[in-house]
Structure formats: C-alpha cells, structure tokens
Amino acid sequence: ENRIYSTKNFALLNLKPPEHTICGGKNTLKNPQSFIRSKKTKLVWAHSFDYDQYLIEEKNNTKLDDRLDSKKFIVFIDAPSPLVNHDSLIPNISSPLTAARYFPSLCKFFDFIEEKIGADVVIASHPKSNHSRNPDYYGNRNVYRDMTLKLIKHSELVINRNSTAINFAIMYNKPIIFHTTSEIEKHLVMRSQIKSMANLLNFSPLNIDSNYCDIDLNNLLKVDHQLYAEYKNKYVKSMNSLNLPLWEIVLSELENSS
C-alpha cells in the first residue's frame, strides 16, 4: 500500500530523502512515492519510459509487418485477463471477466467497428499473454507480439480496456475507444480504472454487451488535441523537459551536480 511511502515510515527506517527525484509528467509530484523527498531534493524533469520507446521508434522508423504494410487497420490493446489472471492473489483486484462471455462480445464489436470503418482489427498482444498467431477466440484475427507502439502509430483507431499503452495513442494523436462489459460494471476496481482513464480524455466507456448500433461513431473518433496535450504533460512528459532519452537527461543532471 502507499502508506509505505510516508515520510514518517522513512524516518522510522532511518532512510534519508533522495538527493534527486526523476519526474515524468507534472502529476508525478502527486504520487505517494514523491512524498519522501525533502526541500533539498532536486527535481529532474524527464519523461516516462513509454516516451523513450517513442523516441527510439521516431529515430529508427523500423519497417511495419508485411501483413500490415499499406493496409488500414484498427488496433486492439490486449490485456492478460480473462485468459491470464495475473493479479488473482490480490484481494478485490482479480479480473471479473470470463472468457465465455468476454470474447464473443468483443468479436461482435470488432465485426461492427470493422464494417463501419472499413478496416480490420489486429491484436497488440500483452507481454503476459500467450496467444497463437490467429486464435479462434479473437475471431482468427492476427495477433502481434512486441509491436504495440508501432501498431498504434500506424493505426486508424485504438480500442482499449484499461491499458496504460494509451500513452502511445496520445503521443500519435490517435482516436481511442474505451470499452467495458456488464461483468466489469459489477466490479468496482476495474470499472473505476476504465472510467477514470476515459474521463481524463472526456470519453465515456462503451459497454460492448449493450446495444451500440446507434452510437455516433464520428463523435467517438474525434481527437481533442488540447486534452491529449494536457494528458501528455501530466502523465507522460513535462512540456519543459528535454526531448532526449531518459538516461541522457539523468546522466547530465548527475554530472552537473557532482
């Protein structure tokens, strides 16, 4: 729990405040971990590791998979559950989703969105997932490992549940659809996670177990560039930080402090 980061506990453990605190977005200073700093702690404004991956991609601009080159596609950001319940030992955290209900609803929604947009859905596999190349539970759609950033970069639309990989969608100004289900709506933690992430961008999660045939898709696909910029500044990269790899920013600061 976050109580471990309180200054009182650090004093009891005879631990000193850090000389430097590396900060990503400006909301870093609202995290409990930042409370251990003192007035003498120097703030080093940098960015998240996601932004490092973004910088590497923009520098190298590596080739897209041959199956996707020159094609329009929509990317779904895969999550471990319901196939891999990696938080099952944490009370009140384990996923409420069941494969028997989740995947049919998801594929039905994919069919709908593919027809409306005229592009295929591809799956950006989660690192903890172990999918085959074209699993039947995803409607035999193509699954790609270790390509989340690149898939998002070249996509027309990003479909997300509660993955922080939306950072990449923010950086590339991609429209995002957040989805929920009737099972999720009965689960306080996951429901709150999805709603909180969506609210930051003024989105409402779409329940894929409900009737969504009459949704205003044009409105869903709008990108509020001001909100995206604010999100990036708060959670990804401070506007005033250097556009350099994280390690270069930190190394330069340590050399100047020595």
Side-chain angles (χ1 to χ4, degrees):
E1 294 185 15
N2 288 330
R3 285 192 293 263
I4 195 172
Y5 295 108
S6 73
T7 53
K8 290 181 180 179
N9 286 344
F10 261 65
L12 290 172
L13 294 171
N14 199 29
L15 296 173
K16 296 181 180 178
E19 293 182 9
H20 297 81
T21 293
I22 303 169
C23 305
K26 70 176 187 179
N27 274 26
T28 301
L29 299 182
K30 295 182 179 180
N31 291 338
Q33 295 93 320
S34 71
F35 297 161
I36 63 174
R37 72 185 191 279
S38 70
K39 293 181 180 180
K40 294 182 180 180
T41 300
K42 185 163 186 182
L43 302 180
V44 182
W45 288 100
H47 48 253
S48 70
F49 285 110
D50 286 344
Y51 196 76
D52 262 5
Q53 293 183 54
Y54 166 80
L55 289 176
I56 292 170
E57 169 59 28
E58 290 305 285
K59 179 180 179 180
N60 298 333
N61 196 25
T62 51
K63 190 176 182 298
L64 195 63
D65 189 283
D66 289 338
R67 291 177 288 169
L68 293 171
D69 199 22
S70 301
K71 288 179 62 177
K72 285 176 61 176
F73 62 88
I74 302 158
V75 61
F76 170 68
I77 304 176
D78 177 48
S81 65
L83 297 181
V84 182
N85 203 351
H86 64 299
D87 290 329
S88 59
L89 297 179
I90 306 175
N92 301 318
I93 295 294
S94 85
S95 172
L97 292 168
T98 57
R101 291 194 62 182
Y102 182 60
F103 287 113
S105 292
L106 197 57
C107 286
K108 182 181 177 182
F109 178 65
F110 289 166
D111 291 341
F112 168 81
I113 210 77
E114 285 173 336
E115 181 180 349
K116 289 291 185 180
I117 294 182
D120 293 336
V121 171
V122 301
I123 316 300
S125 180
H126 187 278
K128 293 183 182 293
S129 297
N130 188 28
H131 305 298
S132 64
R133 188 168 181 174
N134 305 98
D136 56 0
Y137 47 83
Y138 270 136
N140 299 310
R141 291 174 173 85
N142 290 330
V143 173
Y144 298 88
R145 290 192 63 84
D146 304 319
M147 287 183 60
T148 301
L149 182 152
K150 183 170 287 294
L151 289 172
I152 290 174
K153 175 183 178 181
H154 293 280
S155 69
E156 302 293 318
L157 166 69
V158 176
I159 302 174
N160 185 49
R161 193 169 82 201
N162 57 342
S163 172
T164 56
I166 60 161
N167 285 352
F168 301 133
I170 300 296
M171 287 182 260
Y172 285 111
N173 289 300
K174 300 294 181 177
I176 306 167
I177 293 179
F178 290 87
H179 78 280
T180 182
T181 70
S182 296
E183 289 179 316
I184 291 173
E185 290 303 298
K186 298 175 183 177
H187 190 272
L188 176 62
V189 174
M190 187 177 286
R191 182 185 75 231
S192 300
Q193 285 176 339
I194 297 170
K195 187 175 181 180
S196 295
M197 294 177 77
N199 285 350
L200 289 171
L201 299 168
N202 201 27
F203 294 142
S204 296
L206 179 68
N207 188 335
I208 59 173
D209 287 329
S210 65
N211 182 7
Y212 43 76
C213 293
D214 295 328
I215 61 171
D216 185 351
L217 198 56
N218 289 328
N219 188 52
L220 276 178
L221 297 180
K222 287 180 180 177
V223 172
D224 189 322
H225 294 283
Q226 182 177 343
L227 277 179
Y228 273 42
E230 290 175 3
Y231 179 100
K232 180 180 174 182
N233 183 44
K234 288 178 179 178
Y235 303 105
V236 181
K237 178 187 182 295
S238 167
M239 288 188 295
N240 298 323
S241 65
L242 298 173
N243 208 40
L244 293 171
L246 177 63
W247 68 269
E248 286 191 27
I249 296 174
V250 174
L251 181 61
S252 175
E253 179 59 41
L254 293 177
E255 287 177 342
N256 292 334
S257 299
S258 61

